[in-house]
Amino acid sequence: MPPPRRQGEPGLLPRFSSYRGPTARAARAVVRGLVPARRPGVRPPLVTYCLIGLCVLVFLVSPLSGLDPAYGTGHAQLCAQARYFDRWGVIPVELWHGTLAPASLGLPSGCPVPARMVKVPFLSVLTSLFVHGGWAHLLGNMLFLYVFGAGVEERMGRARFAVFYVVTGYVATYGYALGHQGSAQTLVGASGAISGVLGAYLFLHPSARVTSLFPFLLFLPLRFPAWVVLAFWFGLQWIAARTEQAGPAVAYLAHVTGFVFGFAVTAALFRPRSKLAPQAATRGEGQP
């Protein structure tokens, strides 16, 4: 069975883990730039923190972390990982044609085939938002959610942000499945929803300064307006989605779908209200 098709970390920017600065001072500057500024009197982004905590917890207890000896090692662990992805991840063809038989899931050679698998494809979209394919996948996604989620949650409010996050995850996943209707490749990861958060952030805070690490600029920590960083990121995702092939890779189409949906919904919810121009007083009005 090939590795799952990840809704990979939304992109390369910002990417603190890849930076190797010449001095500790430069490293601290990067951290300060990545950590969202908290304004006095503003409630902490509780939903963002809970989403991050839940994703980390799910990963730690999964066979992907390698921390639970109950999943075994070597081939036994590989089989456990494959069954875990099939059980909790999204398989696009199942969203349109129902749950696949366990024998047709394409488990690695030598793995025992489960007699049956209890799975509701529609609900697997939700569970897949908390499943990640590895440490790098998890940490990359959580970094983006931490940096951009707080600002969006502050503007939307906790309840609205939670609903927005889940709905965007569904839209991004179904957008990908619509373009890959016959695919039996498992899809996991939160970045479809997180891409929607990026789209919302672009509309709400286009001029906010974001510390970014561009590979072609030698990973120097540079600060750019959010609209520059996110427009550049979206362009990369769009190009990659147009050349996307079947097989193990990053689900760029889910990123593009989530970003566009997040931006459009936020624009509809927070569009500036036009102010009525004051009418000139008619003769006699306002006179003693």
Side-chain angles (χ1 to χ4, degrees):
M1 176 184 178
R5 194 173 184 87
R6 299 177 302 149
Q7 294 192 47
E9 58 268 28
L12 297 176
L13 311 170
R15 196 178 183 88
F16 175 66
S17 60
S18 298
Y19 175 63
R20 298 294 183 270
T23 65
R25 181 179 300 176
R28 287 194 296 270
V30 174
V31 174
R32 285 195 298 270
L34 291 179
V35 174
R38 289 279 307 279
R39 294 186 303 173
V42 175
R43 297 187 304 175
L46 184 61
V47 173
T48 299
Y49 293 162
C50 287
L51 289 171
I52 293 173
L54 187 55
C55 286
V56 172
L57 178 61
V58 168
F59 182 80
L60 291 179
V61 300
S62 76
L64 280 303
S65 69
L67 300 178
D68 189 345
Y71 291 112
T73 59
H75 188 262
Q77 185 181 31
L78 180 64
C79 293
Q81 292 173 355
R83 290 192 296 268
Y84 181 81
F85 284 134
D86 289 334
R87 174 66 179 85
W88 302 109
V90 172
I91 300 177
V93 69
E94 291 185 333
L95 296 180
W96 311 113
H97 304 291
T99 306
L100 295 175
S104 62
L105 292 176
L107 295 174
S109 177
C111 293
V113 178
R116 60 190 299 267
M117 182 177 293
V118 179
K119 183 178 182 181
V120 180
F122 179 77
L123 293 181
S124 71
V125 178
L126 178 62
T127 58
S128 72
L129 297 180
F130 301 95
V131 177
H132 290 83
W135 285 100
H137 188 202
L138 172 72
L139 296 177
N141 274 349
M142 295 306 98
L143 175 62
F144 270 80
L145 181 56
Y146 177 69
V147 171
F148 295 101
V152 177
E153 181 180 343
E154 178 186 335
R155 288 292 305 275
M156 288 189 174
R158 290 173 177 171
R160 183 183 290 182
F161 177 72
V163 173
F164 168 82
Y165 184 88
V166 173
V167 171
T168 303
Y170 266 86
V171 171
T173 301
Y174 269 92
Y176 176 85
L178 186 62
H180 301 80
Q181 297 184 31
S183 174
Q185 181 92 38
T186 308
L187 182 68
V188 298
S191 60
I194 296 173
S195 296
V197 174
L198 301 187
Y201 192 95
L202 176 60
F203 182 84
L204 296 172
H205 308 285
S207 301
R209 309 292 289 187
V210 178
T211 299
S212 305
L213 307 176
F214 289 87
F216 56 82
L217 293 179
L218 305 179
F219 294 106
L220 294 175
L222 302 175
R223 291 181 66 79
F224 295 95
W227 72 267
V228 173
V229 175
L230 296 178
F232 178 79
W233 173 86
F234 180 77
L236 292 179
Q237 306 304 301
W238 175 260
I239 294 172
R242 290 175 61 86
T243 59
E244 193 170 42
Q245 302 294 326
V250 176
Y252 293 106
L253 181 58
H255 298 180
V256 171
T257 305
F259 186 91
V260 172
F261 179 80
F263 184 90
V265 167
T266 307
L269 293 175
F270 293 91
R271 63 181 182 274
R273 293 185 176 88
S274 58
K275 297 181 179 180
L276 297 177
Q279 298 180 349
T282 58
R283 184 179 298 276
E285 288 183 346
Q287 297 179 2

Tab-separated table of all heavy atoms in Angstrom, residues 3-8 90-93 95-96 125 128 168-189 191-192 240-241 243-258:
chain	number	residue	atom	x	y	z
A	3	PRO	N	2.107	5.136	0.616
A	3	PRO	CA	1.852	6.058	1.735
A	3	PRO	C	0.646	6.926	1.451
A	3	PRO	O	0.272	7.128	0.288
A	3	PRO	CB	3.145	6.890	1.807
A	3	PRO	CG	4.171	6.080	1.082
A	3	PRO	CD	3.426	5.315	0.031
A	4	PRO	N	-0.003	7.462	2.492
A	4	PRO	CA	-1.196	8.286	2.279
A	4	PRO	C	-0.856	9.584	1.588
A	4	PRO	O	0.259	10.089	1.702
A	4	PRO	CB	-1.702	8.542	3.695
A	4	PRO	CG	-0.478	8.462	4.534
A	4	PRO	CD	0.368	7.388	3.905
A	5	ARG	N	-1.811	10.105	0.837
A	5	ARG	CA	-1.630	11.404	0.203
A	5	ARG	C	-1.942	12.449	1.249
A	5	ARG	O	-3.059	12.572	1.720
A	5	ARG	CB	-2.564	11.533	-0.991
A	5	ARG	CG	-2.206	12.697	-1.909
A	5	ARG	CD	-3.078	12.654	-3.153
A	5	ARG	NE	-2.699	13.693	-4.097
A	5	ARG	CZ	-1.765	13.556	-5.011
A	5	ARG	NH1	-1.091	12.431	-5.080
A	5	ARG	NH2	-1.482	14.541	-5.841
A	6	ARG	N	-0.928	13.225	1.624
A	6	ARG	CA	-1.073	14.140	2.743
A	6	ARG	C	-1.697	15.457	2.305
A	6	ARG	O	-1.399	15.973	1.240
A	6	ARG	CB	0.292	14.450	3.365
A	6	ARG	CG	1.019	13.261	3.916
A	6	ARG	CD	2.360	13.690	4.435
A	6	ARG	NE	3.138	14.321	3.383
A	6	ARG	CZ	4.034	15.275	3.595
A	6	ARG	NH1	4.242	15.729	4.798
A	6	ARG	NH2	4.720	15.790	2.597
A	7	GLN	N	-2.589	15.960	3.153
A	7	GLN	CA	-2.846	17.385	3.093
A	7	GLN	C	-1.666	17.982	3.849
A	7	GLN	O	-1.730	18.250	5.027
A	7	GLN	CB	-4.160	17.743	3.757
A	7	GLN	CG	-5.373	17.174	3.030
A	7	GLN	CD	-6.649	17.777	3.550
A	7	GLN	OE1	-6.751	18.973	3.705
A	7	GLN	NE2	-7.622	16.942	3.807
A	8	GLY	N	-0.561	18.147	3.149
A	8	GLY	CA	0.718	18.482	3.766
A	8	GLY	C	0.697	19.829	4.425
A	8	GLY	O	-0.250	20.596	4.302
A	90	VAL	N	-9.435	9.786	4.873
A	90	VAL	CA	-10.439	9.884	3.808
A	90	VAL	C	-9.938	9.140	2.575
A	90	VAL	O	-8.796	9.321	2.150
A	90	VAL	CB	-10.716	11.352	3.443
A	90	VAL	CG1	-11.606	11.439	2.210
A	90	VAL	CG2	-11.371	12.070	4.598
A	91	ILE	N	-10.799	8.324	2.003
A	91	ILE	CA	-10.527	7.697	0.709
A	91	ILE	C	-11.524	8.296	-0.275
A	91	ILE	O	-12.734	8.081	-0.155
A	91	ILE	CB	-10.668	6.171	0.785
A	91	ILE	CG1	-9.670	5.611	1.808
A	91	ILE	CG2	-10.442	5.536	-0.585
A	91	ILE	CD1	-9.766	4.119	2.008
A	92	PRO	N	-11.057	9.112	-1.236
A	92	PRO	CA	-11.991	9.860	-2.097
A	92	PRO	C	-13.084	9.022	-2.730
A	92	PRO	O	-14.248	9.440	-2.772
A	92	PRO	CB	-11.052	10.471	-3.159
A	92	PRO	CG	-9.760	10.666	-2.422
A	92	PRO	CD	-9.653	9.483	-1.511
A	93	VAL	N	-12.751	7.836	-3.228
A	93	VAL	CA	-13.771	7.035	-3.897
A	93	VAL	C	-14.891	6.642	-2.939
A	93	VAL	O	-16.046	6.466	-3.347
A	93	VAL	CB	-13.124	5.786	-4.542
A	93	VAL	CG1	-12.626	4.807	-3.484
A	93	VAL	CG2	-14.091	5.102	-5.498
A	95	LEU	N	-16.230	8.514	-0.671
A	95	LEU	CA	-17.170	9.623	-0.496
A	95	LEU	C	-18.270	9.601	-1.546
A	95	LEU	O	-19.354	10.158	-1.329
A	95	LEU	CB	-16.425	10.961	-0.565
A	95	LEU	CG	-15.401	11.219	0.547
A	95	LEU	CD1	-14.731	12.578	0.344
A	95	LEU	CD2	-16.061	11.163	1.922
A	96	TRP	N	-18.010	8.958	-2.667
A	96	TRP	CA	-18.999	8.934	-3.748
A	96	TRP	C	-19.660	7.564	-3.902
A	96	TRP	O	-20.790	7.485	-4.384
A	96	TRP	CB	-18.340	9.299	-5.077
A	96	TRP	CG	-17.507	10.539	-5.008
A	96	TRP	CD1	-16.157	10.634	-5.132
A	96	TRP	CD2	-17.961	11.880	-4.771
A	96	TRP	NE1	-15.744	11.936	-4.986
A	96	TRP	CE2	-16.830	12.731	-4.776
A	96	TRP	CE3	-19.224	12.448	-4.557
A	96	TRP	CZ2	-16.906	14.101	-4.567
A	96	TRP	CZ3	-19.310	13.824	-4.355
A	96	TRP	CH2	-18.169	14.620	-4.370
A	125	VAL	N	-14.117	12.426	6.971
A	125	VAL	CA	-13.576	13.745	6.628
A	125	VAL	C	-13.188	14.485	7.905
A	125	VAL	O	-12.127	15.122	7.985
A	125	VAL	CB	-14.598	14.561	5.815
A	125	VAL	CG1	-14.049	15.952	5.502
A	125	VAL	CG2	-14.958	13.837	4.526
A	128	SER	N	-10.134	12.746	9.656
A	128	SER	CA	-8.880	12.913	8.915
A	128	SER	C	-8.215	14.256	9.211
A	128	SER	O	-7.006	14.392	9.025
A	128	SER	CB	-9.137	12.796	7.408
A	128	SER	OG	-9.833	13.933	6.908
A	168	THR	N	-14.624	24.417	6.541
A	168	THR	CA	-13.591	24.593	5.524
A	168	THR	C	-12.855	23.290	5.271
A	168	THR	O	-12.516	22.967	4.125
A	168	THR	CB	-12.593	25.680	5.963
A	168	THR	OG1	-13.293	26.897	6.204
A	168	THR	CG2	-11.544	25.918	4.888
A	169	GLY	N	-12.600	22.518	6.332
A	169	GLY	CA	-11.970	21.218	6.152
A	169	GLY	C	-12.804	20.306	5.276
A	169	GLY	O	-12.273	19.589	4.411
A	170	TYR	N	-14.118	20.316	5.479
A	170	TYR	CA	-15.004	19.500	4.647
A	170	TYR	C	-14.985	19.976	3.200
A	170	TYR	O	-14.904	19.160	2.268
A	170	TYR	CB	-16.430	19.552	5.198
A	170	TYR	CG	-16.752	18.413	6.135
A	170	TYR	CD1	-16.443	18.481	7.488
A	170	TYR	CD2	-17.362	17.252	5.662
A	170	TYR	CE1	-16.729	17.429	8.349
A	170	TYR	CE2	-17.661	16.199	6.522
A	170	TYR	CZ	-17.336	16.296	7.861
A	170	TYR	OH	-17.616	15.243	8.703
A	171	VAL	N	-15.071	21.277	2.989
A	171	VAL	CA	-15.093	21.807	1.622
A	171	VAL	C	-13.789	21.486	0.904
A	171	VAL	O	-13.782	21.075	-0.262
A	171	VAL	CB	-15.350	23.328	1.646
A	171	VAL	CG1	-15.159	23.928	0.253
A	171	VAL	CG2	-16.750	23.620	2.162
A	172	ALA	N	-12.660	21.669	1.589
A	172	ALA	CA	-11.367	21.383	0.971
A	172	ALA	C	-11.237	19.903	0.613
A	172	ALA	O	-10.749	19.547	-0.473
A	172	ALA	CB	-10.246	21.794	1.922
A	173	THR	N	-11.690	19.027	1.510
A	173	THR	CA	-11.584	17.595	1.258
A	173	THR	C	-12.485	17.160	0.119
A	173	THR	O	-12.068	16.402	-0.772
A	173	THR	CB	-11.932	16.811	2.531
A	173	THR	OG1	-11.038	17.201	3.584
A	173	THR	CG2	-11.798	15.319	2.297
A	174	TYR	N	-13.724	17.649	0.110
A	174	TYR	CA	-14.627	17.285	-0.980
A	174	TYR	C	-14.174	17.909	-2.298
A	174	TYR	O	-14.393	17.338	-3.372
A	174	TYR	CB	-16.054	17.704	-0.649
A	174	TYR	CG	-16.837	16.617	0.050
A	174	TYR	CD1	-16.879	16.534	1.440
A	174	TYR	CD2	-17.522	15.642	-0.682
A	174	TYR	CE1	-17.587	15.527	2.086
A	174	TYR	CE2	-18.236	14.633	-0.043
A	174	TYR	CZ	-18.266	14.582	1.328
A	174	TYR	OH	-18.960	13.560	1.963
A	175	GLY	N	-13.549	19.085	-2.230
A	175	GLY	CA	-12.993	19.672	-3.449
A	175	GLY	C	-11.914	18.786	-4.040
A	175	GLY	O	-11.855	18.589	-5.270
A	176	TYR	N	-11.067	18.245	-3.170
A	176	TYR	CA	-10.030	17.323	-3.654
A	176	TYR	C	-10.657	16.043	-4.186
A	176	TYR	O	-10.276	15.540	-5.253
A	176	TYR	CB	-9.053	16.992	-2.523
A	176	TYR	CG	-8.017	15.983	-2.929
A	176	TYR	CD1	-6.858	16.376	-3.579
A	176	TYR	CD2	-8.214	14.622	-2.677
A	176	TYR	CE1	-5.915	15.439	-3.971
A	176	TYR	CE2	-7.275	13.686	-3.069
A	176	TYR	CZ	-6.128	14.101	-3.709
A	176	TYR	OH	-5.200	13.170	-4.105
A	177	ALA	N	-11.633	15.512	-3.452
A	177	ALA	CA	-12.270	14.261	-3.874
A	177	ALA	C	-13.017	14.427	-5.190
A	177	ALA	O	-13.105	13.479	-5.988
A	177	ALA	CB	-13.229	13.773	-2.788
A	178	LEU	N	-13.546	15.618	-5.441
A	178	LEU	CA	-14.242	15.859	-6.705
A	178	LEU	C	-13.284	15.768	-7.882
A	178	LEU	O	-13.651	15.319	-8.967
A	178	LEU	CB	-14.905	17.238	-6.671
A	178	LEU	CG	-15.797	17.606	-7.855
A	178	LEU	CD1	-16.985	16.646	-7.950
A	178	LEU	CD2	-16.292	19.043	-7.728
A	179	GLY	N	-12.046	16.187	-7.659
A	179	GLY	CA	-11.051	16.104	-8.727
A	179	GLY	C	-10.372	14.754	-8.824
A	179	GLY	O	-9.620	14.503	-9.764
A	180	HIS	N	-10.600	13.873	-7.833
A	180	HIS	CA	-9.977	12.541	-7.823
A	180	HIS	C	-11.027	11.513	-7.389
A	180	HIS	O	-10.852	10.792	-6.425
A	180	HIS	CB	-8.775	12.512	-6.871
A	180	HIS	CG	-7.713	13.497	-7.208
A	180	HIS	ND1	-7.787	14.830	-6.870
A	180	HIS	CD2	-6.523	13.342	-7.857
A	180	HIS	CE1	-6.691	15.450	-7.288
A	180	HIS	NE2	-5.925	14.584	-7.888
A	181	GLN	N	-12.127	11.463	-8.132
A	181	GLN	CA	-13.276	10.667	-7.714
A	181	GLN	C	-12.990	9.172	-7.663
A	181	GLN	O	-13.612	8.449	-6.890
A	181	GLN	CB	-14.462	10.942	-8.640
A	181	GLN	CG	-14.951	12.372	-8.591
A	181	GLN	CD	-16.181	12.595	-9.433
A	181	GLN	OE1	-17.018	11.697	-9.602
A	181	GLN	NE2	-16.323	13.799	-9.976
A	182	GLY	N	-12.077	8.690	-8.464
A	182	GLY	CA	-11.801	7.268	-8.492
A	182	GLY	C	-10.607	6.859	-7.659
A	182	GLY	O	-10.206	5.692	-7.684
A	183	SER	N	-10.038	7.803	-6.889
A	183	SER	CA	-8.821	7.514	-6.146
A	183	SER	C	-9.116	6.727	-4.877
A	183	SER	O	-10.013	7.066	-4.110
A	183	SER	CB	-8.105	8.825	-5.773
A	183	SER	OG	-6.992	8.568	-4.939
A	184	ALA	N	-8.309	5.682	-4.645
A	184	ALA	CA	-8.381	4.923	-3.400
A	184	ALA	C	-7.216	5.265	-2.488
A	184	ALA	O	-6.956	4.559	-1.524
A	184	ALA	CB	-8.390	3.428	-3.698
A	185	GLN	N	-6.523	6.354	-2.796
A	185	GLN	CA	-5.393	6.809	-1.982
A	185	GLN	C	-5.924	7.549	-0.752
A	185	GLN	O	-6.771	8.437	-0.846
A	185	GLN	CB	-4.530	7.777	-2.794
A	185	GLN	CG	-3.307	8.292	-2.071
A	185	GLN	CD	-2.097	7.433	-2.342
A	185	GLN	OE1	-1.911	6.965	-3.443
A	185	GLN	NE2	-1.283	7.226	-1.330
A	186	THR	N	-5.444	7.160	0.415
A	186	THR	CA	-5.911	7.775	1.657
A	186	THR	C	-5.426	9.214	1.757
A	186	THR	O	-4.281	9.528	1.432
A	186	THR	CB	-5.407	6.980	2.867
A	186	THR	OG1	-5.739	5.612	2.694
A	186	THR	CG2	-6.043	7.496	4.145
A	187	LEU	N	-6.306	10.074	2.244
A	187	LEU	CA	-5.990	11.493	2.415
A	187	LEU	C	-6.071	11.836	3.899
A	187	LEU	O	-7.089	11.587	4.540
A	187	LEU	CB	-7.002	12.339	1.625
A	187	LEU	CG	-6.810	13.857	1.638
A	187	LEU	CD1	-5.549	14.249	0.879
A	187	LEU	CD2	-8.016	14.552	1.021
A	188	VAL	N	-4.984	12.387	4.445
A	188	VAL	CA	-4.969	12.751	5.859
A	188	VAL	C	-4.337	14.135	6.015
A	188	VAL	O	-3.589	14.596	5.164
A	188	VAL	CB	-4.172	11.729	6.713
A	188	VAL	CG1	-4.808	10.360	6.656
A	188	VAL	CG2	-2.709	11.660	6.274
A	189	GLY	N	-4.663	14.794	7.135
A	189	GLY	CA	-4.026	16.062	7.452
A	189	GLY	C	-5.013	17.202	7.592
A	189	GLY	O	-6.118	17.164	7.053
A	191	SER	N	-4.345	20.445	6.713
A	191	SER	CA	-3.965	21.654	5.996
A	191	SER	C	-5.030	22.167	5.033
A	191	SER	O	-4.953	23.312	4.594
A	191	SER	CB	-2.643	21.449	5.250
A	191	SER	OG	-2.762	20.405	4.317
A	192	GLY	N	-6.033	21.344	4.678
A	192	GLY	CA	-7.148	21.904	3.916
A	192	GLY	C	-7.874	22.954	4.735
A	192	GLY	O	-8.169	24.049	4.256
A	240	ALA	N	1.193	23.930	-8.441
A	240	ALA	CA	1.363	22.519	-8.093
A	240	ALA	C	0.081	21.729	-8.317
A	240	ALA	O	0.115	20.583	-8.768
A	240	ALA	CB	1.821	22.392	-6.645
A	241	ALA	N	-1.082	22.339	-8.003
A	241	ALA	CA	-2.355	21.641	-8.176
A	241	ALA	C	-2.634	21.351	-9.646
A	241	ALA	O	-3.222	20.319	-9.986
A	241	ALA	CB	-3.490	22.466	-7.571
A	243	THR	N	-0.493	20.609	-11.876
A	243	THR	CA	0.376	19.536	-12.360
A	243	THR	C	0.307	18.314	-11.448
A	243	THR	O	1.131	17.414	-11.559
A	243	THR	CB	1.830	20.030	-12.436
A	243	THR	OG1	2.260	20.457	-11.132
A	243	THR	CG2	1.948	21.200	-13.400
A	244	GLU	N	-0.676	18.300	-10.552
A	244	GLU	CA	-0.781	17.240	-9.560
A	244	GLU	C	-1.056	15.910	-10.231
A	244	GLU	O	-1.899	15.801	-11.112
A	244	GLU	CB	-1.899	17.573	-8.574
A	244	GLU	CG	-1.906	16.730	-7.331
A	244	GLU	CD	-2.899	17.293	-6.317
A	244	GLU	OE1	-4.004	17.690	-6.729
A	244	GLU	OE2	-2.561	17.337	-5.136
A	245	GLN	N	-0.340	14.884	-9.796
A	245	GLN	CA	-0.509	13.544	-10.324
A	245	GLN	C	-0.978	12.624	-9.207
A	245	GLN	O	-0.861	12.925	-8.028
A	245	GLN	CB	0.809	13.018	-10.906
A	245	GLN	CG	1.394	13.892	-12.003
A	245	GLN	CD	0.526	13.917	-13.248
A	245	GLN	OE1	-0.116	12.911	-13.581
A	245	GLN	NE2	0.501	15.039	-13.949
A	246	ALA	N	-1.513	11.483	-9.597
A	246	ALA	CA	-1.919	10.494	-8.604
A	246	ALA	C	-0.677	9.890	-7.962
A	246	ALA	O	0.388	9.841	-8.553
A	246	ALA	CB	-2.766	9.399	-9.268
A	247	GLY	N	-0.835	9.433	-6.734
A	247	GLY	CA	0.280	8.809	-6.049
A	247	GLY	C	0.629	9.563	-4.786
A	247	GLY	O	0.061	10.608	-4.477
A	248	PRO	N	1.605	9.064	-4.030
A	248	PRO	CA	1.980	9.686	-2.767
A	248	PRO	C	2.533	11.078	-2.984
A	248	PRO	O	3.513	11.253	-3.689
A	248	PRO	CB	3.061	8.734	-2.212
A	248	PRO	CG	2.908	7.465	-2.978
A	248	PRO	CD	2.362	7.842	-4.310
A	249	ALA	N	1.913	12.046	-2.411
A	249	ALA	CA	2.354	13.431	-2.569
A	249	ALA	C	1.526	14.290	-1.639
A	249	ALA	O	0.856	13.808	-0.747
A	249	ALA	CB	2.195	13.876	-4.031
A	250	VAL	N	1.586	15.597	-1.878
A	250	VAL	CA	0.800	16.558	-1.110
A	250	VAL	C	-0.466	16.888	-1.893
A	250	VAL	O	-0.425	17.075	-3.112
A	250	VAL	CB	1.629	17.831	-0.847
A	250	VAL	CG1	0.792	18.873	-0.127
A	250	VAL	CG2	2.876	17.490	-0.029
A	251	ALA	N	-1.590	16.982	-1.195
A	251	ALA	CA	-2.881	17.237	-1.848
A	251	ALA	C	-3.042	18.736	-2.087
A	251	ALA	O	-3.759	19.423	-1.363
A	251	ALA	CB	-4.027	16.689	-1.005
A	252	TYR	N	-2.392	19.251	-3.118
A	252	TYR	CA	-2.409	20.687	-3.374
A	252	TYR	C	-3.802	21.200	-3.707
A	252	TYR	O	-4.145	22.333	-3.378
A	252	TYR	CB	-1.452	21.018	-4.525
A	252	TYR	CG	-0.004	20.779	-4.193
A	252	TYR	CD1	0.687	19.694	-4.723
A	252	TYR	CD2	0.687	21.644	-3.335
A	252	TYR	CE1	2.014	19.476	-4.410
A	252	TYR	CE2	2.022	21.426	-3.031
A	252	TYR	CZ	2.674	20.338	-3.571
A	252	TYR	OH	3.991	20.117	-3.266
A	253	LEU	N	-4.605	20.375	-4.371
A	253	LEU	CA	-5.955	20.815	-4.720
A	253	LEU	C	-6.772	21.106	-3.471
A	253	LEU	O	-7.583	22.041	-3.453
A	253	LEU	CB	-6.646	19.752	-5.584
A	253	LEU	CG	-8.069	20.091	-6.050
A	253	LEU	CD1	-8.079	21.395	-6.842
A	253	LEU	CD2	-8.639	18.946	-6.887
A	254	ALA	N	-6.568	20.338	-2.403
A	254	ALA	CA	-7.256	20.611	-1.138
A	254	ALA	C	-6.801	21.952	-0.569
A	254	ALA	O	-7.610	22.704	-0.009
A	254	ALA	CB	-6.986	19.487	-0.139
A	255	HIS	N	-5.524	22.286	-0.712
A	255	HIS	CA	-5.020	23.570	-0.237
A	255	HIS	C	-5.680	24.722	-0.980
A	255	HIS	O	-6.128	25.698	-0.381
A	255	HIS	CB	-3.505	23.654	-0.438
A	255	HIS	CG	-2.728	22.628	0.329
A	255	HIS	ND1	-1.360	22.541	0.274
A	255	HIS	CD2	-3.126	21.631	1.159
A	255	HIS	CE1	-0.940	21.562	1.053
A	255	HIS	NE2	-2.004	20.979	1.586
A	256	VAL	N	-5.712	24.614	-2.306
A	256	VAL	CA	-6.288	25.681	-3.128
A	256	VAL	C	-7.768	25.854	-2.805
A	256	VAL	O	-8.262	26.971	-2.636
A	256	VAL	CB	-6.079	25.370	-4.626
A	256	VAL	CG1	-6.857	26.356	-5.491
A	256	VAL	CG2	-4.595	25.422	-4.967
A	257	THR	N	-8.496	24.741	-2.731
A	257	THR	CA	-9.930	24.807	-2.437
A	257	THR	C	-10.185	25.439	-1.079
A	257	THR	O	-11.052	26.311	-0.931
A	257	THR	CB	-10.548	23.403	-2.488
A	257	THR	OG1	-10.264	22.794	-3.751
A	257	THR	CG2	-12.054	23.474	-2.291
A	258	GLY	N	-9.442	25.004	-0.064
A	258	GLY	CA	-9.620	25.556	1.273
A	258	GLY	C	-9.304	27.038	1.333
A	258	GLY	O	-10.038	27.814	1.962
